[in-house]
Amino acid sequence: MALGVESASGICSARECTNAAIYRIDWRNPAIHRARTKTWLACEEHLSYLEGYFKYRSFPYEVSPFVAPAAGQSGDENQRQVH
């Protein structure tokens, strides 16, 4: 899995996917980072695949609708589903 596309791009984080993201997934690896949260984006097609990635590893994550932040906006105003 080659992730790392900047979340600001609005493109799904799944490898070789160029679809527009409609979900934001905030996650962390508690074994390495207790407070650091990473953000990946997902299109409809890859949401369940990426959720499976986190569930398999028991990583806590939150899914919320992806809304491209406007200038000066953090994007954290969206409602989230905590897993």
Side-chain angles (χ1 to χ4, degrees):
M1 178 176 307
L3 300 170
V5 174
E6 293 293 327
S7 61
S9 71
I11 303 298
C12 178
S13 298
R15 178 182 291 177
E16 298 182 12
C17 184
T18 58
N19 294 336
I22 58 174
Y23 298 103
R24 173 183 169 155
I25 308 170
D26 295 306
W27 66 278
R28 63 186 181 87
N29 179 346
I32 299 173
H33 307 108
R34 298 215 183 269
R36 180 178 172 197
T37 300
K38 291 188 165 193
T39 299
W40 286 354
L41 301 178
C43 64
E44 187 70 41
E45 180 180 347
H46 291 111
L47 178 62
S48 62
Y49 174 80
L50 294 172
E51 284 185 307
Y53 177 89
F54 301 120
K55 289 176 184 177
Y56 178 79
R57 292 161 179 79
S58 299
F59 291 172
Y61 67 97
E62 298 177 356
V63 177
S64 60
F66 173 68
V67 178
Q73 183 181 13
S74 68
D76 290 335
E77 295 79 19
N78 299 322
Q79 183 178 357
R80 296 182 177 172
Q81 299 174 5
V82 179
H83 299 275

